[in-house]
Amino acid sequence: MNFAEAADGAEIAWTSEGEGEPMLLIAGQATAMDGWGPTAELLSRYYRVIRFDHRGIGRSGKGEAERYTTRLLAEDAAAVLDAAGVDLAHVYGHSMGGRVGQWLAIDYPQKVRTLILAATSGGRSPDAGMQPDRAALEALTSGDMSRLEPLFFDADWVRSNPAATHTFFNSHASAWAKVRHFKASREHDAWRYLSSIQSPTLILHGIEDALTPLPNALLLREHIPRSVLVRVPGAGHGLHLDHPETVEWIRQFIAGKSRSSG
């Protein structure tokens, strides 16, 4: 386990596995790096995978309360890349991690080779079709695994991967940190800045995602120049884990962009 020092002195825990081009994984709201589980293992066969615990989560320090915004969490991510000795990385963010990844690409364009956004949004919208329905939101705030599982994962995947499911939903986090993560994610608003993203961007989104409905991905596609959207049939909010075929799509996207820039 390694630690990066954030701007306020908070220690951000991170790990690295595999070889090849660096890929930074940014986890979702109140989710520790361990939640990437089998996806991180699979990606590490092809890339140097760098994971970290957001401040207040897992083994990272909680830091200052006012630094719990998606834009400042992106500063933490940049500090991890610096600590890992990485100048340029592929960045893969899930849910709130995708929101953080957007700011990383906006504020630190020189650090982001490609951007992969899964099950995420550019921020709030008055459009009701972009909001989670009440039942989904209540399940999210309940923290009840039995209510959350159907929103994230395919039932067969859960039965076949009980350890990964348990790890994903049981990250070590205080109520203090969870509240601030929830607020950071809900208050994210990057819509007017997304057009400045220059990194080749792949958007992955489950058609059945009730927590971040598909119209969010459609709008991301409109706002981020030359981005590519892949709609994943039958997938919910946890497609980064229960649809391992997405790893191959990511590899193909990255390889294609490498060829086009070579």
Side-chain angles (χ1 to χ4, degrees):
M1 185 63 57
N2 307 287
F3 291 91
E5 185 175 341
D8 62 344
E11 289 194 326
I12 307 299
W14 64 275
T15 63
S16 175
E17 57 195 319
E19 298 177 354
E21 293 180 351
M23 177 178 286
L24 180 70
L25 304 185
I26 310 180
Q29 172 187 310
T31 305
M33 68 171 94
D34 296 342
W36 284 95
T39 299
E41 182 182 348
L42 189 53
L43 285 166
S44 70
R45 299 177 189 177
Y46 313 104
Y47 306 99
R48 179 192 175 195
V49 171
I50 300 163
R51 292 183 281 170
F52 67 100
D53 287 337
H54 291 294
R55 59 176 54 226
I57 307 300
R59 288 144 288 196
S60 290
K62 69 177 187 178
E64 299 171 357
E66 62 269 20
R67 294 193 66 83
Y68 284 75
T69 70
T70 51
R71 196 165 198 170
L72 292 177
L73 290 172
E75 286 191 17
D76 292 349
V80 168
L81 287 177
D82 289 343
V86 172
D87 295 324
L88 184 64
H90 304 292
V91 174
Y92 182 6
H94 169 252
S95 193
M96 188 191 81
R99 294 166 170 82
V100 174
Q102 292 162 32
W103 286 122
L104 194 61
I106 292 163
D107 292 337
Y108 300 88
Q110 73 282 4
K111 290 183 178 293
V112 183
R113 186 186 293 272
T114 63
L115 180 64
I116 299 105
L117 303 174
T120 195
S121 169
R124 285 185 163 185
S125 167
D127 183 349
M130 293 175 63
Q131 306 302 322
D133 61 43
R134 168 170 272 180
L137 200 55
E138 288 177 352
L140 182 65
T141 54
S142 75
D144 183 341
M145 254 180 76
S146 64
R147 295 173 65 185
L148 288 167
E149 282 176 4
L151 293 172
F152 278 79
F153 305 125
D154 175 79
D156 288 339
W157 186 87
V158 169
R159 282 191 291 271
S160 300
N161 297 272
T165 304
H166 183 271
T167 299
F168 180 80
F169 285 121
N170 289 277
S171 297
H172 174 71
S174 65
W176 184 92
K178 287 180 179 179
V179 166
R180 282 159 178 78
H181 270 248
F182 184 79
K183 185 172 184 285
S185 192
R186 291 286 289 169
E187 293 183 352
H188 175 73
D189 184 4
W191 290 120
R192 65 187 180 276
Y193 301 100
L194 294 176
S195 62
S196 71
I197 293 178
Q198 296 301 307
S199 307
T201 302
L202 174 64
I203 302 164
L204 300 171
H205 213 97
I207 291 176
E208 308 299 328
D209 191 343
L211 285 171
T212 307
L214 182 62
N216 287 277
L218 302 177
L219 202 55
L220 278 176
R221 170 64 189 87
E222 289 181 19
H223 278 70
I224 301 176
R226 300 173 300 282
S227 57
V228 175
L229 168 61
V230 177
R231 303 167 178 84
V232 186
H237 197 62
L239 78 163
H240 65 312
L241 287 181
D242 71 347
H243 281 71
E245 66 272 20
T246 55
V247 168
E248 186 56 34
W249 301 343
I250 290 167
R251 289 184 64 212
Q252 291 174 6
F253 177 78
I254 289 173
K257 293 305 173 184
S258 295
R259 284 195 297 272
S260 63
S261 63

